[in-house]
Amino acid sequence: MDNARRSTEDADFRGPLDVTSAATFVLDERDVVIGWSPAAQELLGYRTDEIIGRPVTAILPPEGAPAPGAAPDRRAAAGRAAGAEGSALVPSFPEHEVYAAVHRDGHRMQLVTAVCPLSGTGQVERVVVAADRDRLREWESRLAMLQGLATESPLGFAIYDTDLRLVWCNAASEREIGRPLAETRGELAEELYPRGRFVTPGYPETLHAVMRQVLDTGEPFLDLHFRAEQPSDPGKEHLWSCSYYRLQDADGRVFGVCEDAFDISDRYEAQRQVNLLVEAGRSVGTTLDVLVTAGELAAVAVPEFADRVDVDLAPAVLEGEVPGGTGPGGTDLLRAASRAAATAPGDPASATVDGTVPAGERGRRPLPVTYAEDSPQHRSLASGGLVLEDDTLVVPLRAGGGVLGLATFVRDGRRGFFDRGAVAVADELVARAAVSVDNARRYTRERESALALQRQLLPQHLPSNSAVDLAYRYLPTDDLSGVGGDWFDVIPLSGTRVGLVVGDVVGHGLHAAATMGRLRTTVRALAPLDLPPDELLKRLDDLVGQSAQDSADALGTLTGDDDVAAGATCLYAVYDPVSRRCTMARAGHLPPAVVEPGGRVSFPDLPAGPPLGLGGLPFECLEIELPVGSLLALFTDGLVEARDRDIDKGLETLAHVLAEGADSLEDLCDRAISELLPDGTTNDDTALLLVRTRELDDRRVAVWSLPAEPVAAGRARELVANRLRDWGLDELVFTTELIASELVTNAVRYAEGPLHLRLIHDRTLVCEVADAGHTAPHLRHSADDDEGGRGLFIVAQLVQRWGTRYSKDGKAIWTEQALPASSRPRPGVGDSAGLPDGPVLARS
């Protein structure tokens, strides 16, 4: 760059044949040299004393050359040049001739000459001006270059004086301005481009400021981007790449500033469209929400591509379904997103849906839009293709052979209409967005299906019971991760006990929800067997492992498929309101939180056990006695664990919330959720079950020990009758006497002592007989001549339910009878002064 600049600065623009710099010699009428310039001596090597008086043929041999001063033969000159150069020479000036000259040292050289005849009274006849042909050709090339820049170059060149008024411009600048130089000479730069501005960051914005700074400092500005309406094309903005540098004469005097400008509007627009597609690939489809995706499409297109964008979707798409088809009848759409460019400089672009709700906001229903039959939107829906009409371009969102909706792009006059390139960009942009919308639609369908399945599989309501007060919350995971497999349940058990269960299935989606349903159903089937928690988890673990093995066998693999049941966690607890004892076991799940009535919070040291499906390791039970009014909190890890929060911190926060308490369990649930999940979303499903324990004391429970002798049956009838009359249950005396008598008789006959008889006055009347045997009782039909075997059959006809519960000390046969309507307790109401109307409600 520096070498080129120095070469330009050293150039002599007077020309090689200028008499002040060229080799010059004077001839008389006999073609004798009578004058010789220093430049001629430098060019041909002859000193003045060596050439003066000699004929010109000494330096210009006569062979085939015209005599100096003779009429030139243009074709002969061209032929000589062709012989010397091997190609035809077309002189730039007709009066120039090419000669083969002889240097003083004998070598031949090509000279270009011009002859100037003289007239007068002296002997001087003519003056010959000569120059090296190569130097002349170089000079002519420079002249041609300048001529090309002035007339043919696509770059605009202009020269402004020190007052920033136009002095000269080339043809390209004239075309941009739309007027000839004769009309614009003397105008200020900012008068030619009145609303133009530089948009290159860090530089002045106006033409006046830029050129004034160049004149003042001498530092050039290169490749500045200038945006303005082209004077010859009003109403449409162009973008130029401009450079400015100061002009000085040979003495260093500043006489102006030169501007060169190249219109890069088309190139800039092409690059901007490429950048638009790149940005669309980065920012459209970041979520699996149909409305958010529509808003992202509108946001990426405004204002870079269009001045307004409307995205309308078929109603079925928002429900996760595929639209029924296209055609004239399918013009009812929903406005999913709408975005318009700022109406004034500095104003933010508006992003609205139907003018009311910010684009992309969840939890709203877009308003319907209907297009007339002659509208471009209607024609696009009818044809399934894009429609271009003046400043409006409508492109359908196509996916899977169907039309999901429409994207309408609108431009104002300043930006220009949609050309072929812009239409192609819009089509590609919408095609990419359509893929994201379709993915979001598919996800919406799966999510809604999973949620529906999950809602059906989770408890629709928790049964009221005398053992505990309940409150719960369930939060599905966020939209990105999908529905998971967390679940909880409360299962009534015999003897007024209650089973509490919470679990977590690995993964998300329909598979996880279905697996959760399998596990919950299995637990509900196993719980009435009155198995200890560790035994129930062992059987659940066996079933999960067997399911995985069956899948492996079916697939012909060793490890099976990715059954999400394998690795699921579960916590199962049984609370007995009579003994106030809670027995629990867990399979890889978090332990519960226990809150004593005074507010002390602890997490029992419950052996973890392996997650379900791994097998090989035992589960262990922990039994604890709970004071009346204790609080149990069962939860899944989605409540206490997050990407930005350690699980220990989450447990600490939960303990703090539980310790502070609340007016009700419902309020306490809300507080826990708001503290641990402040934004209402989580990366995993969240289940929270709060349980406040109650107690059934001796006012509601009667227990007797009986000998394992035949007389025990009569004693049992007497005890039962007296207690029922005390409780006001006279209507049940006869049936209960018969039930107790038959159960005690069976225990005496088939089991071992001691025997225990228990009555529980709850929502039903429970009668239990426990013995030390482990033999299962059988219900059978006796023949007419059998002397026994009818006891359990009779009992089964008298009660609502009956069953057997096993323990390490033996078994208990239990029955439940419905209470008379007048004797049924009201839930949650008690009377400590006398016989309570309902179970004792423990309060913290």
Side-chain angles (χ1 to χ4, degrees):
M1 177 66 72
D2 291 340
N3 292 336
R5 179 179 296 176
R6 284 194 297 269
S7 175
T8 302
E9 291 174 349
D10 295 339
D12 186 357
F13 288 95
R14 295 173 297 178
L17 291 178
D18 183 84
V19 70
T20 62
S21 60
T24 306
F25 46 96
V26 182
L27 303 180
D28 62 10
E29 70 277 5
R30 293 177 301 162
D31 292 334
V32 174
V33 178
I34 61 175
W36 191 252
S37 70
Q41 178 178 334
E42 180 179 356
L43 177 64
L44 294 169
Y46 294 96
R47 298 190 305 273
T48 302
D49 57 344
E50 293 177 330
I51 195 63
I52 294 296
R54 298 181 62 182
V56 71
T57 54
I59 54 175
L60 299 176
E63 294 83 14
D73 184 345
R74 302 295 177 194
R75 289 175 296 179
R80 289 193 300 273
E85 288 295 308
S87 61
L89 174 65
V90 180
S92 298
F93 301 97
E95 66 273 15
H96 294 170
E97 292 293 342
V98 179
Y99 289 90
V102 179
H103 194 270
R104 180 176 182 276
D105 59 12
H107 77 271
R108 301 180 70 87
M109 54 190 302
Q110 298 293 318
L111 294 185
V112 177
T113 64
V115 179
C116 178
L118 299 177
S119 60
T121 58
Q123 60 179 345
V124 176
E125 183 72 16
R126 60 188 62 83
V127 176
V128 179
V129 180
D132 184 87
R133 188 193 62 176
D134 292 339
R135 184 182 174 197
L136 178 64
R137 295 180 68 178
E138 179 183 353
W139 180 75
E140 289 177 339
S141 297
R142 292 176 179 172
L143 288 181
M145 176 190 69
L146 294 176
Q147 181 71 11
L149 290 176
T151 59
E152 304 296 335
S153 174
L155 275 72
F157 285 91
I159 296 176
Y160 297 87
D161 62 18
T162 55
D163 293 327
L164 304 184
R165 295 184 179 276
L166 182 65
V167 175
W168 175 87
C169 68
N170 68 347
S173 286
E174 283 188 335
R175 289 192 295 269
E176 288 179 359
I177 298 172
R179 292 182 292 160
L181 177 60
E183 295 182 11
T184 59
R185 183 182 285 111
E187 292 190 18
L188 293 171
E190 293 191 338
E191 293 175 349
L192 299 173
Y193 299 91
R195 289 183 295 275
R197 66 194 184 282
F198 287 98
V199 294
T200 303
Y203 291 88
E205 293 187 0
T206 65
L207 277 167
H208 178 87
V210 166
M211 289 195 287
R212 178 54 59 190
Q213 186 169 335
V214 170
L215 285 173
D216 292 343
T217 66
E219 292 294 327
F221 282 157
L222 305 177
D223 195 25
L224 302 186
H225 287 183
F226 182 72
R227 186 183 297 278
E229 290 185 6
Q230 182 170 303
S232 62
D233 186 14
K236 180 180 179 181
E237 279 195 342
H238 285 240
L239 184 70
W240 288 270
S241 173
C242 301
S243 296
Y244 298 88
Y245 39 90
R246 193 167 66 181
L247 299 177
Q248 300 175 233
D249 61 15
D251 297 327
R253 289 184 292 108
V254 176
F255 63 85
V257 59
C258 182
E259 171 194 69
D260 64 69
F262 181 66
D263 192 331
I264 60 171
S265 301
D266 293 340
R267 185 179 69 186
Y268 176 77
E269 183 65 22
Q271 184 61 49
R272 188 169 65 171
Q273 291 174 358
V274 171
N275 294 340
L276 179 71
L277 295 178
V278 173
E279 177 64 18
R282 186 187 65 83
S283 59
V284 177
T286 60
T287 70
L288 290 173
D289 185 293
V290 172
L291 297 179
V292 171
T293 302
E296 290 170 342
L297 170 59
V300 80
V302 175
E304 292 300 319
F305 183 74
D307 296 293
R308 180 180 177 86
V309 174
D310 296 327
V311 182
D312 306 319
L313 298 177
V317 174
L318 275 69
E319 303 298 330
E321 302 299 329
V322 179
T326 60
T331 55
D332 290 335
L333 301 172
L334 296 176
R335 178 60 48 83
S338 180
R339 190 176 183 92
T343 56
D347 291 345
S350 63
T352 62
V353 175
D354 304 325
T356 57
V357 184
E361 182 178 330
R362 297 187 55 207
R364 58 174 173 77
R365 183 73 180 182
L367 297 178
V369 291
T370 302
Y371 292 105
E373 290 189 2
D374 59 345
S375 65
Q377 289 85 357
H378 186 280
R379 299 203 303 273
S380 178
L381 283 174
S383 65
L386 59 85
V387 174
L388 176 60
E389 183 176 285
D390 297 331
D391 58 353
T392 301
L393 174 62
V394 182
V395 184
L397 283 85
R398 298 180 292 265
V403 176
L404 306 180
L406 298 174
T408 302
F409 302 90
V410 180
R411 284 183 174 180
D412 61 23
R414 290 187 309 163
R415 187 189 296 270
F417 299 131
F418 296 97
D419 56 17
R420 181 179 301 177
V423 170
V425 170
D427 196 33
E428 176 67 18
L429 177 64
V430 173
R432 296 187 181 189
V435 173
S436 298
V437 170
D438 192 51
N439 288 339
R441 176 195 65 80
R442 293 172 184 270
Y443 170 76
T444 299
R445 180 177 61 184
E446 180 174 341
R447 175 177 168 79
E448 291 301 321
S449 300
L451 282 173
L453 175 62
Q454 198 170 44
R455 282 191 291 265
Q456 292 298 319
L457 294 176
L458 286 170
Q460 301 303 303
H461 67 277
L462 296 181
S464 59
N465 61 86
S466 302
V468 292
D469 282 331
L470 301 169
Y472 59 90
R473 294 291 183 270
Y474 179 80
L475 276 72
T477 190
D478 59 24
D479 289 343
L480 185 60
S481 302
V483 177
D486 290 14
W487 94 95
F488 64 94
D489 210 346
V490 178
I491 307 170
L493 301 177
S494 63
T496 68
R497 297 169 308 128
V498 64
L500 308 171
V501 60
V502 64
D504 188 354
V505 173
V506 178
H508 299 91
L510 283 172
H511 199 183
T515 301
M516 175 271 288
R518 284 167 42 204
L519 295 180
R520 178 172 177 262
T521 302
T522 302
V523 172
R524 274 196 160 266
L526 293 175
L529 299 179
D530 285 314
L531 300 172
D534 57 340
E535 180 63 23
L536 183 143
L537 291 180
K538 177 64 171 63
R539 295 197 183 188
L540 188 63
D541 179 67
D542 291 341
L543 289 173
V544 171
Q546 183 62 44
S547 175
Q549 184 60 46
D550 291 345
S551 298
D553 294 341
L555 294 173
T557 63
L558 295 176
T559 59
D561 65 357
D562 55 344
D563 188 349
V564 296
T569 65
C570 183
L571 168 68
Y572 182 67
V574 176
Y575 174 68
D576 186 345
V578 177
S579 65
R580 292 187 289 103
R581 301 196 70 82
C582 182
T583 306
M584 61 186 74
R586 61 182 177 131
H589 202 84
L590 292 172
V594 179
V595 186
E596 297 178 1
R600 179 177 175 271
V601 181
S602 64
F603 295 91
D605 188 15
L606 177 61
L612 298 175
L614 300 185
L617 294 175
F619 301 98
E620 300 181 44
C621 279
L622 175 67
E623 185 176 82
I624 58 176
E625 183 173 340
L626 298 175
V628 177
S630 296
L631 179 66
L632 282 176
L634 288 73
F635 51 90
T636 57
D637 56 3
L639 180 67
V640 295
E641 188 175 22
R643 292 192 182 100
D644 58 347
R645 183 183 61 212
D646 184 78
I647 190 170
D648 292 334
K649 180 63 176 178
L651 292 174
E652 180 182 340
T653 303
L654 176 62
H656 177 73
V657 172
L658 296 177
E660 288 188 345
D663 294 337
S664 67
L665 292 182
E666 295 293 335
D667 292 342
L668 190 56
C669 276
D670 291 338
R671 281 200 55 202
I673 294 298
S674 63
E675 288 287 338
L676 290 160
L677 305 174
D679 59 354
T681 62
T682 174
N683 297 321
D684 196 2
D685 280 14
T686 297
L688 172 63
L689 176 63
L690 296 184
V691 176
R692 180 85 70 187
T693 62
R694 294 172 174 173
E695 180 186 23
L696 294 177
D697 57 17
D698 55 7
R699 294 170 298 173
R700 308 296 300 277
V701 180
V703 182
W704 301 279
S705 295
L706 299 173
E709 300 174 358
V711 297
R715 177 60 178 163
R717 288 194 297 271
E718 179 184 355
L719 294 171
V720 166
N722 292 335
R723 182 51 60 96
L724 292 182
R725 290 188 182 97
D726 292 340
W727 286 346
L729 301 177
D730 299 65
E731 297 178 36
L732 298 180
V733 170
F734 177 75
T735 56
T736 309
E737 282 183 326
L738 180 56
I739 291 169
S741 176
E742 290 296 336
L743 294 181
V744 169
T745 299
N746 278 346
V748 171
R749 180 176 300 177
Y750 300 111
E752 303 175 359
L755 307 181
H756 298 279
L757 172 63
R758 184 167 74 166
L759 290 180
I760 302 176
H761 181 195
D762 190 38
R763 286 175 168 78
T764 62
L765 179 63
V766 179
C767 179
E768 297 180 351
V769 174
D771 58 53
H774 290 84
T775 304
H778 295 284
L779 180 67
R780 63 186 179 89
H781 292 275
S782 300
D784 292 341
D785 56 351
D786 286 346
E787 296 182 359
R790 300 180 180 86
L792 283 180
F793 182 80
I794 294 173
V795 170
Q797 306 308 307
L798 298 175
V799 300
Q800 286 182 328
R801 296 193 307 152
W802 73 279
T804 305
R805 182 172 67 250
Y806 292 91
S807 67
K808 62 182 179 180
D809 298 324
K811 69 177 183 298
I813 301 176
W814 55 268
T815 66
E816 290 185 7
Q817 301 175 73
L819 298 178
S822 60
S823 302
R824 293 173 186 169
R826 289 170 292 169
V829 178
D831 182 5
S832 59
L835 183 65
D837 294 325
V840 175
L841 175 60
R843 292 179 174 85
S844 59

